Amino acid sequence: MHCIKIDKNIVIDKDFEPFFEYAKDYIIKNNGQLIIKNVKYLREGGRHSGSCDGEQIIIAGKCNKFKQVFVHEFAHFTQAVDQMPLWESGLDTAPFWKWLEKKESKDGIILWDHLVDIVLLERDCELRSLKLIEKFNIPICPKEYAKCANLYLYYYHFCFLKRRWVSNYSKVYESELFAKIPEKIIPKSKLLKIDMDIMKMFQDVLT
């Protein structure tokens, strides 16, 4: 199995190359696989820009925020390599996703712990991403990245309340909500309960 599969039409910006080369070497060293496709969106499991299952990273090479997506998914890979307890528990997310897709009849209260595992896993991933951005001087604004990351973390709570993955999520980046989100990753304590004021702002933007 080839460790690195990058579509020949994908061009990596020069200012991203130092980190990109480091990431490729790290993936090979840890027996992982990187696949970058010449598409704007991936379709497997619903439309998205990237994924990492701990062994394989797949990225849509033409997505609007390629650098951010690549750093994020690579950070997930480091979680798996480090054998984080959060990663191990976070992998068992099938019950939550089945419930969200209404394939599971359990009460949402029972699925809350699954959601918390997912959100805390993602929070750790975002912190790792920011450390990589700083360490390698990646051309991504840390403050803007953190704001986007916080929106993404809160978005899980919103989808939990709506019991569906709301498809028009990108609208939040152009809303007043984005301006009100902190420029540093929010503390764990704020993710262990639902902030209804934030949820109402999501509601105003996305419905």
Side-chain angles (χ1 to χ4, degrees), residues 22-207:
Y22 164 81
K24 288 195 301 180
D25 289 343
Y26 184 94
I27 291 166
I28 293 170
K29 179 182 177 181
N30 289 284
N31 302 312
Q33 185 181 30
L34 170 65
I35 299 173
I36 301 180
K37 299 183 177 183
N38 187 36
V39 295
K40 191 170 184 178
Y41 298 106
L42 302 173
R43 302 291 177 179
E44 300 84 355
R47 196 174 83 162
H48 60 289
S49 300
S51 65
C52 175
D53 63 5
E55 297 179 354
Q56 183 184 76
I57 299 173
I58 306 178
I59 307 290
K62 295 295 186 180
C63 64
N64 293 332
K65 295 188 176 184
F66 172 79
K67 293 172 185 175
Q68 290 88 336
V69 173
F70 184 88
V71 172
H72 177 88
E73 299 305 339
F74 176 75
H76 272 314
F77 186 77
T78 69
Q79 289 177 316
V81 171
D82 291 345
Q83 296 182 318
M84 282 189 57
L86 269 176
W87 177 262
E88 295 301 318
S89 63
L91 286 177
D92 186 22
T93 60
F96 173 75
W97 293 112
K98 287 182 179 179
W99 176 82
L100 201 67
E101 296 170 3
K102 298 181 174 63
K103 295 179 181 178
E104 173 61 66
S105 61
K106 290 181 180 178
D107 192 298
I109 296 173
I110 298 174
L111 277 300
W112 176 252
D113 287 343
H114 290 277
L115 173 66
V116 169
D117 279 345
I118 294 170
V119 174
L120 293 183
L121 177 74
E122 292 295 340
R123 180 182 180 275
D124 177 83
C125 179
E126 302 299 10
L127 288 170
R128 287 169 177 253
S129 296
L130 285 166
K131 287 181 180 178
L132 290 168
I133 290 169
E134 181 179 357
K135 179 179 179 179
F136 290 92
N137 197 27
I138 299 172
I140 298 172
C141 174
K143 290 182 179 180
E144 183 173 332
Y145 184 93
K147 286 170 73 72
C148 292
N150 286 333
L151 278 172
Y152 181 58
L153 297 174
Y154 278 130
Y155 180 64
Y156 274 96
H157 284 176
F158 181 70
C159 290
F160 177 78
L161 292 178
K162 303 293 285 187
R163 198 179 176 183
R164 63 187 176 90
W165 195 254
V166 184
S167 60
N168 57 342
Y169 170 71
S170 61
K171 289 172 62 176
V172 298
Y173 297 120
E174 302 169 1
S175 69
E176 293 183 7
L177 174 57
F178 184 77
K180 295 179 180 180
I181 294 296
E183 295 178 343
K184 292 185 178 180
I185 299 298
I186 53 180
K188 288 182 181 180
S189 59
K190 287 188 174 294
L191 296 172
L192 300 178
K193 57 184 179 181
I194 296 177
D195 185 327
M196 289 308 298
D197 289 334
I198 296 290
M199 296 302 102
K200 289 175 183 177
M201 284 191 276
F202 266 103
Q203 177 79 358
D204 291 340
V205 175
L206 298 180
T207 59

